[in-house]
PDB file of all heavy atoms in Angstrom:
ATOM      1  N   LEU A  28      -5.768   0.332   2.183  1.00  0.00           N
ATOM      2  CA  LEU A  28      -4.573   0.895   1.564  1.00  0.00           C
ATOM      3  C   LEU A  28      -4.715   0.932   0.054  1.00  0.00           C
ATOM      4  O   LEU A  28      -4.314   1.893  -0.598  1.00  0.00           O
ATOM      5  CB  LEU A  28      -3.344   0.084   1.961  1.00  0.00           C
ATOM      6  CG  LEU A  28      -2.011   0.567   1.379  1.00  0.00           C
ATOM      7  CD1 LEU A  28      -1.714   1.975   1.890  1.00  0.00           C
ATOM      8  CD2 LEU A  28      -0.889  -0.372   1.755  1.00  0.00           C
ATOM      9  N   ASP A  29      -5.305  -0.128  -0.516  1.00  0.00           N
ATOM     10  CA  ASP A  29      -5.530  -0.140  -1.963  1.00  0.00           C
ATOM     11  C   ASP A  29      -6.308   1.092  -2.384  1.00  0.00           C
ATOM     12  O   ASP A  29      -5.984   1.756  -3.366  1.00  0.00           O
ATOM     13  CB  ASP A  29      -6.314  -1.389  -2.373  1.00  0.00           C
ATOM     14  CG  ASP A  29      -5.464  -2.645  -2.281  1.00  0.00           C
ATOM     15  OD1 ASP A  29      -4.244  -2.511  -2.119  1.00  0.00           O
ATOM     16  OD2 ASP A  29      -6.036  -3.747  -2.375  1.00  0.00           O
ATOM     17  N   GLY A  30      -7.364   1.413  -1.617  1.00  0.00           N
ATOM     18  CA  GLY A  30      -8.180   2.567  -1.963  1.00  0.00           C
ATOM     19  C   GLY A  30      -7.417   3.864  -1.863  1.00  0.00           C
ATOM     20  O   GLY A  30      -7.528   4.741  -2.720  1.00  0.00           O
ATOM     21  N   VAL A  31      -6.600   4.015  -0.815  1.00  0.00           N
ATOM     22  CA  VAL A  31      -5.833   5.244  -0.640  1.00  0.00           C
ATOM     23  C   VAL A  31      -4.825   5.410  -1.760  1.00  0.00           C
ATOM     24  O   VAL A  31      -4.672   6.479  -2.344  1.00  0.00           O
ATOM     25  CB  VAL A  31      -5.119   5.245   0.734  1.00  0.00           C
ATOM     26  CG1 VAL A  31      -4.142   6.407   0.827  1.00  0.00           C
ATOM     27  CG2 VAL A  31      -6.145   5.330   1.848  1.00  0.00           C
ATOM     28  N   ILE A  32      -4.117   4.335  -2.083  1.00  0.00           N
ATOM     29  CA  ILE A  32      -3.086   4.429  -3.118  1.00  0.00           C
ATOM     30  C   ILE A  32      -3.713   4.700  -4.475  1.00  0.00           C
ATOM     31  O   ILE A  32      -3.193   5.468  -5.273  1.00  0.00           O
ATOM     32  CB  ILE A  32      -2.227   3.149  -3.134  1.00  0.00           C
ATOM     33  CG1 ILE A  32      -1.387   3.102  -1.865  1.00  0.00           C
ATOM     34  CG2 ILE A  32      -1.326   3.102  -4.346  1.00  0.00           C
ATOM     35  CD1 ILE A  32      -0.504   1.898  -1.747  1.00  0.00           C
ATOM     36  N   THR A  33      -4.858   4.093  -4.734  1.00  0.00           N
ATOM     37  CA  THR A  33      -5.535   4.341  -6.009  1.00  0.00           C
ATOM     38  C   THR A  33      -5.898   5.807  -6.153  1.00  0.00           C
ATOM     39  O   THR A  33      -5.670   6.427  -7.197  1.00  0.00           O
ATOM     40  CB  THR A  33      -6.808   3.477  -6.107  1.00  0.00           C
ATOM     41  OG1 THR A  33      -6.424   2.115  -6.041  1.00  0.00           O
ATOM     42  CG2 THR A  33      -7.533   3.749  -7.413  1.00  0.00           C
ATOM     43  N   THR A  34      -6.415   6.397  -5.098  1.00  0.00           N
ATOM     44  CA  THR A  34      -6.852   7.785  -5.200  1.00  0.00           C
ATOM     45  C   THR A  34      -5.691   8.760  -5.248  1.00  0.00           C
ATOM     46  O   THR A  34      -5.839   9.880  -5.704  1.00  0.00           O
ATOM     47  CB  THR A  34      -7.756   8.158  -4.006  1.00  0.00           C
ATOM     48  OG1 THR A  34      -7.033   7.933  -2.794  1.00  0.00           O
ATOM     49  CG2 THR A  34      -9.016   7.323  -4.000  1.00  0.00           C
ATOM     50  N   THR A  35      -4.521   8.348  -4.761  1.00  0.00           N
ATOM     51  CA  THR A  35      -3.376   9.255  -4.807  1.00  0.00           C
ATOM     52  C   THR A  35      -2.474   8.990  -6.000  1.00  0.00           C
ATOM     53  O   THR A  35      -1.427   9.607  -6.141  1.00  0.00           O
ATOM     54  CB  THR A  35      -2.533   9.125  -3.521  1.00  0.00           C
ATOM     55  OG1 THR A  35      -2.151   7.746  -3.350  1.00  0.00           O
ATOM     56  CG2 THR A  35      -3.312   9.591  -2.312  1.00  0.00           C
ATOM     57  N   GLY A  36      -2.860   8.031  -6.841  1.00  0.00           N
ATOM     58  CA  GLY A  36      -2.127   7.822  -8.076  1.00  0.00           C
ATOM     59  C   GLY A  36      -0.862   7.015  -7.947  1.00  0.00           C
ATOM     60  O   GLY A  36      -0.024   7.004  -8.845  1.00  0.00           O
ATOM     61  N   GLU A  37      -0.681   6.276  -6.842  1.00  0.00           N
ATOM     62  CA  GLU A  37       0.511   5.457  -6.686  1.00  0.00           C
ATOM     63  C   GLU A  37       0.453   4.282  -7.662  1.00  0.00           C
ATOM     64  O   GLU A  37      -0.623   3.774  -7.993  1.00  0.00           O
ATOM     65  CB  GLU A  37       0.611   4.927  -5.251  1.00  0.00           C
ATOM     66  CG  GLU A  37       0.891   6.010  -4.220  1.00  0.00           C
ATOM     67  CD  GLU A  37       2.344   6.435  -4.248  1.00  0.00           C
ATOM     68  OE1 GLU A  37       3.170   5.714  -4.829  1.00  0.00           O
ATOM     69  OE2 GLU A  37       2.643   7.510  -3.675  1.00  0.00           O
ATOM     70  N   PRO A  38       1.592   3.791  -8.131  1.00  0.00           N
ATOM     71  CA  PRO A  38       1.613   2.664  -9.068  1.00  0.00           C
ATOM     72  C   PRO A  38       1.008   1.408  -8.454  1.00  0.00           C
ATOM     73  O   PRO A  38       1.152   1.143  -7.265  1.00  0.00           O
ATOM     74  CB  PRO A  38       3.109   2.464  -9.350  1.00  0.00           C
ATOM     75  CG  PRO A  38       3.759   3.755  -8.965  1.00  0.00           C
ATOM     76  CD  PRO A  38       2.936   4.330  -7.876  1.00  0.00           C
ATOM     77  N   ALA A  39       0.386   0.612  -9.297  1.00  0.00           N
ATOM     78  CA  ALA A  39      -0.239  -0.622  -8.822  1.00  0.00           C
ATOM     79  C   ALA A  39       0.789  -1.590  -8.271  1.00  0.00           C
ATOM     80  O   ALA A  39       0.518  -2.344  -7.348  1.00  0.00           O
ATOM     81  CB  ALA A  39      -1.023  -1.282  -9.953  1.00  0.00           C
ATOM     82  N   ALA A  40       2.016  -1.581  -8.845  1.00  0.00           N
ATOM     83  CA  ALA A  40       3.049  -2.496  -8.362  1.00  0.00           C
ATOM     84  C   ALA A  40       3.375  -2.223  -6.904  1.00  0.00           C
ATOM     85  O   ALA A  40       3.537  -3.140  -6.104  1.00  0.00           O
ATOM     86  CB  ALA A  40       4.307  -2.361  -9.214  1.00  0.00           C
ATOM     87  N   ARG A  41       3.501  -0.935  -6.555  1.00  0.00           N
ATOM     88  CA  ARG A  41       3.756  -0.578  -5.152  1.00  0.00           C
ATOM     89  C   ARG A  41       2.584  -1.018  -4.290  1.00  0.00           C
ATOM     90  O   ARG A  41       2.764  -1.523  -3.186  1.00  0.00           O
ATOM     91  CB  ARG A  41       3.985   0.925  -5.029  1.00  0.00           C
ATOM     92  CG  ARG A  41       4.027   1.414  -3.579  1.00  0.00           C
ATOM     93  CD  ARG A  41       4.343   2.897  -3.515  1.00  0.00           C
ATOM     94  NE  ARG A  41       4.005   3.436  -2.216  1.00  0.00           N
ATOM     95  CZ  ARG A  41       4.764   3.309  -1.126  1.00  0.00           C
ATOM     96  NH1 ARG A  41       5.884   2.634  -1.174  1.00  0.00           N
ATOM     97  NH2 ARG A  41       4.386   3.846   0.022  1.00  0.00           N
ATOM     98  N   ASN A  42       1.380  -0.847  -4.835  1.00  0.00           N
ATOM     99  CA  ASN A  42       0.178  -1.268  -4.125  1.00  0.00           C
ATOM    100  C   ASN A  42       0.283  -2.743  -3.747  1.00  0.00           C
ATOM    101  O   ASN A  42       0.097  -3.128  -2.599  1.00  0.00           O
ATOM    102  CB  ASN A  42      -1.021  -1.024  -5.053  1.00  0.00           C
ATOM    103  CG  ASN A  42      -2.348  -1.363  -4.409  1.00  0.00           C
ATOM    104  OD1 ASN A  42      -2.379  -1.983  -3.371  1.00  0.00           O
ATOM    105  ND2 ASN A  42      -3.417  -0.963  -5.060  1.00  0.00           N
ATOM    106  N   ARG A  43       0.622  -3.589  -4.712  1.00  0.00           N
ATOM    107  CA  ARG A  43       0.692  -5.024  -4.453  1.00  0.00           C
ATOM    108  C   ARG A  43       1.827  -5.363  -3.490  1.00  0.00           C
ATOM    109  O   ARG A  43       1.693  -6.193  -2.617  1.00  0.00           O
ATOM    110  CB  ARG A  43       0.871  -5.773  -5.769  1.00  0.00           C
ATOM    111  CG  ARG A  43      -0.362  -5.768  -6.665  1.00  0.00           C
ATOM    112  CD  ARG A  43      -0.207  -6.788  -7.760  1.00  0.00           C
ATOM    113  NE  ARG A  43       0.924  -6.470  -8.632  1.00  0.00           N
ATOM    114  CZ  ARG A  43       0.844  -5.682  -9.703  1.00  0.00           C
ATOM    115  NH1 ARG A  43      -0.312  -5.127 -10.019  1.00  0.00           N
ATOM    116  NH2 ARG A  43       1.907  -5.438 -10.454  1.00  0.00           N
ATOM    117  N   ARG A  44       2.956  -4.678  -3.658  1.00  0.00           N
ATOM    118  CA  ARG A  44       4.118  -4.984  -2.840  1.00  0.00           C
ATOM    119  C   ARG A  44       3.835  -4.727  -1.359  1.00  0.00           C
ATOM    120  O   ARG A  44       4.092  -5.562  -0.504  1.00  0.00           O
ATOM    121  CB  ARG A  44       5.314  -4.153  -3.301  1.00  0.00           C
ATOM    122  CG  ARG A  44       6.600  -4.483  -2.530  1.00  0.00           C
ATOM    123  CD  ARG A  44       7.800  -3.790  -3.133  1.00  0.00           C
ATOM    124  NE  ARG A  44       7.739  -2.343  -2.987  1.00  0.00           N
ATOM    125  CZ  ARG A  44       7.496  -1.500  -3.984  1.00  0.00           C
ATOM    126  NH1 ARG A  44       7.258  -1.948  -5.199  1.00  0.00           N
ATOM    127  NH2 ARG A  44       7.470  -0.196  -3.772  1.00  0.00           N
ATOM    128  N   ILE A  45       3.271  -3.569  -1.050  1.00  0.00           N
ATOM    129  CA  ILE A  45       2.964  -3.240   0.348  1.00  0.00           C
ATOM    130  C   ILE A  45       1.869  -4.157   0.881  1.00  0.00           C
ATOM    131  O   ILE A  45       1.933  -4.659   1.986  1.00  0.00           O
ATOM    132  CB  ILE A  45       2.545  -1.767   0.478  1.00  0.00           C
ATOM    133  CG1 ILE A  45       3.713  -0.861   0.105  1.00  0.00           C
ATOM    134  CG2 ILE A  45       2.081  -1.469   1.889  1.00  0.00           C
ATOM    135  CD1 ILE A  45       3.363   0.603   0.120  1.00  0.00           C
ATOM    136  N   GLY A  46       0.876  -4.410   0.069  1.00  0.00           N
ATOM    137  CA  GLY A  46      -0.231  -5.246   0.520  1.00  0.00           C
ATOM    138  C   GLY A  46       0.201  -6.644   0.909  1.00  0.00           C
ATOM    139  O   GLY A  46      -0.328  -7.243   1.829  1.00  0.00           O
ATOM    140  N   HIS A  47       1.227  -7.198   0.208  1.00  0.00           N
ATOM    141  CA  HIS A  47       1.634  -8.570   0.484  1.00  0.00           C
ATOM    142  C   HIS A  47       2.711  -8.677   1.543  1.00  0.00           C
ATOM    143  O   HIS A  47       2.843  -9.709   2.177  1.00  0.00           O
ATOM    144  CB  HIS A  47       2.133  -9.236  -0.809  1.00  0.00           C
ATOM    145  CG  HIS A  47       1.030  -9.640  -1.724  1.00  0.00           C
ATOM    146  ND1 HIS A  47       0.175 -10.678  -1.443  1.00  0.00           N
ATOM    147  CD2 HIS A  47       0.622  -9.123  -2.913  1.00  0.00           C
ATOM    148  CE1 HIS A  47      -0.703 -10.821  -2.423  1.00  0.00           C
ATOM    149  NE2 HIS A  47      -0.463  -9.887  -3.326  1.00  0.00           N
ATOM    150  N   THR A  48       3.497  -7.612   1.753  1.00  0.00           N
ATOM    151  CA  THR A  48       4.638  -7.748   2.658  1.00  0.00           C
ATOM    152  C   THR A  48       4.437  -7.099   4.008  1.00  0.00           C
ATOM    153  O   THR A  48       5.080  -7.482   4.969  1.00  0.00           O
ATOM    154  CB  THR A  48       5.900  -7.139   2.019  1.00  0.00           C
ATOM    155  OG1 THR A  48       5.679  -5.740   1.813  1.00  0.00           O
ATOM    156  CG2 THR A  48       6.205  -7.804   0.700  1.00  0.00           C
ATOM    157  N   ALA A  49       3.575  -6.123   4.091  1.00  0.00           N
ATOM    158  CA  ALA A  49       3.416  -5.405   5.360  1.00  0.00           C
ATOM    159  C   ALA A  49       2.405  -6.100   6.243  1.00  0.00           C
ATOM    160  O   ALA A  49       1.469  -6.723   5.770  1.00  0.00           O
ATOM    161  CB  ALA A  49       2.974  -3.965   5.106  1.00  0.00           C
ATOM    162  N   THR A  50       2.597  -5.975   7.542  1.00  0.00           N
ATOM    163  CA  THR A  50       1.569  -6.441   8.464  1.00  0.00           C
ATOM    164  C   THR A  50       0.419  -5.457   8.431  1.00  0.00           C
ATOM    165  O   THR A  50       0.547  -4.340   7.923  1.00  0.00           O
ATOM    166  CB  THR A  50       2.121  -6.506   9.899  1.00  0.00           C
ATOM    167  OG1 THR A  50       2.448  -5.186  10.312  1.00  0.00           O
ATOM    168  CG2 THR A  50       3.335  -7.392   9.980  1.00  0.00           C
ATOM    169  N   GLY A  51      -0.696  -5.866   9.011  1.00  0.00           N
ATOM    170  CA  GLY A  51      -1.847  -4.959   9.024  1.00  0.00           C
ATOM    171  C   GLY A  51      -1.525  -3.643   9.689  1.00  0.00           C
ATOM    172  O   GLY A  51      -1.877  -2.587   9.204  1.00  0.00           O
ATOM    173  N   THR A  52      -0.808  -3.695  10.825  1.00  0.00           N
ATOM    174  CA  THR A  52      -0.515  -2.473  11.561  1.00  0.00           C
ATOM    175  C   THR A  52       0.397  -1.561  10.761  1.00  0.00           C
ATOM    176  O   THR A  52       0.157  -0.364  10.628  1.00  0.00           O
ATOM    177  CB  THR A  52       0.133  -2.804  12.913  1.00  0.00           C
ATOM    178  OG1 THR A  52      -0.733  -3.649  13.645  1.00  0.00           O
ATOM    179  CG2 THR A  52       0.413  -1.550  13.694  1.00  0.00           C
ATOM    180  N   THR A  53       1.457  -2.126  10.187  1.00  0.00           N
ATOM    181  CA  THR A  53       2.393  -1.311   9.414  1.00  0.00           C
ATOM    182  C   THR A  53       1.702  -0.692   8.214  1.00  0.00           C
ATOM    183  O   THR A  53       1.868   0.480   7.900  1.00  0.00           O
ATOM    184  CB  THR A  53       3.586  -2.165   8.954  1.00  0.00           C
ATOM    185  OG1 THR A  53       4.179  -2.764  10.087  1.00  0.00           O
ATOM    186  CG2 THR A  53       4.606  -1.312   8.230  1.00  0.00           C
ATOM    187  N   THR A  54       0.886  -1.484   7.531  1.00  0.00           N
ATOM    188  CA  THR A  54       0.178  -0.974   6.362  1.00  0.00           C
ATOM    189  C   THR A  54      -0.703   0.200   6.735  1.00  0.00           C
ATOM    190  O   THR A  54      -0.719   1.223   6.069  1.00  0.00           O
ATOM    191  CB  THR A  54      -0.684  -2.099   5.752  1.00  0.00           C
ATOM    192  OG1 THR A  54       0.166  -3.171   5.389  1.00  0.00           O
ATOM    193  CG2 THR A  54      -1.416  -1.592   4.520  1.00  0.00           C
ATOM    194  N   ALA A  55      -1.430   0.058   7.849  1.00  0.00           N
ATOM    195  CA  ALA A  55      -2.323   1.144   8.258  1.00  0.00           C
ATOM    196  C   ALA A  55      -1.533   2.405   8.559  1.00  0.00           C
ATOM    197  O   ALA A  55      -1.949   3.504   8.217  1.00  0.00           O
ATOM    198  CB  ALA A  55      -3.131   0.720   9.475  1.00  0.00           C
ATOM    199  N   ASN A  56      -0.396   2.268   9.229  1.00  0.00           N
ATOM    200  CA  ASN A  56       0.400   3.437   9.565  1.00  0.00           C
ATOM    201  C   ASN A  56       0.889   4.164   8.321  1.00  0.00           C
ATOM    202  O   ASN A  56       1.006   5.370   8.303  1.00  0.00           O
ATOM    203  CB  ASN A  56       1.603   3.023  10.424  1.00  0.00           C
ATOM    204  CG  ASN A  56       1.194   2.645  11.838  1.00  0.00           C
ATOM    205  OD1 ASN A  56       0.116   3.040  12.273  1.00  0.00           O
ATOM    206  ND2 ASN A  56       2.016   1.894  12.527  1.00  0.00           N
ATOM    207  N   ARG A  57       1.186   3.435   7.270  1.00  0.00           N
ATOM    208  CA  ARG A  57       1.723   4.064   6.070  1.00  0.00           C
ATOM    209  C   ARG A  57       0.687   4.881   5.317  1.00  0.00           C
ATOM    210  O   ARG A  57       1.023   5.629   4.420  1.00  0.00           O
ATOM    211  CB  ARG A  57       2.298   2.991   5.137  1.00  0.00           C
ATOM    212  CG  ARG A  57       3.570   2.351   5.686  1.00  0.00           C
ATOM    213  CD  ARG A  57       4.134   1.357   4.712  1.00  0.00           C
ATOM    214  NE  ARG A  57       5.308   0.697   5.269  1.00  0.00           N
ATOM    215  CZ  ARG A  57       6.004  -0.229   4.635  1.00  0.00           C
ATOM    216  NH1 ARG A  57       5.647  -0.597   3.425  1.00  0.00           N
ATOM    217  NH2 ARG A  57       7.057  -0.779   5.210  1.00  0.00           N
ATOM    218  N   THR A  58      -0.572   4.709   5.655  1.00  0.00           N
ATOM    219  CA  THR A  58      -1.603   5.472   4.954  1.00  0.00           C
ATOM    220  C   THR A  58      -1.846   6.821   5.587  1.00  0.00           C
ATOM    221  O   THR A  58      -2.610   7.608   5.064  1.00  0.00           O
ATOM    222  CB  THR A  58      -2.932   4.688   4.940  1.00  0.00           C
ATOM    223  OG1 THR A  58      -3.441   4.606   6.270  1.00  0.00           O
ATOM    224  CG2 THR A  58      -2.736   3.307   4.374  1.00  0.00           C
TER     225      THR A  58
END
């Protein structure tokens, strides 16, 4: 997810927030 968000220009704060709060399955679905 970090890689996807980086390439699409999403803010780093959102990157950290999703990475720490989402389960693996939910995170994968959001990409």
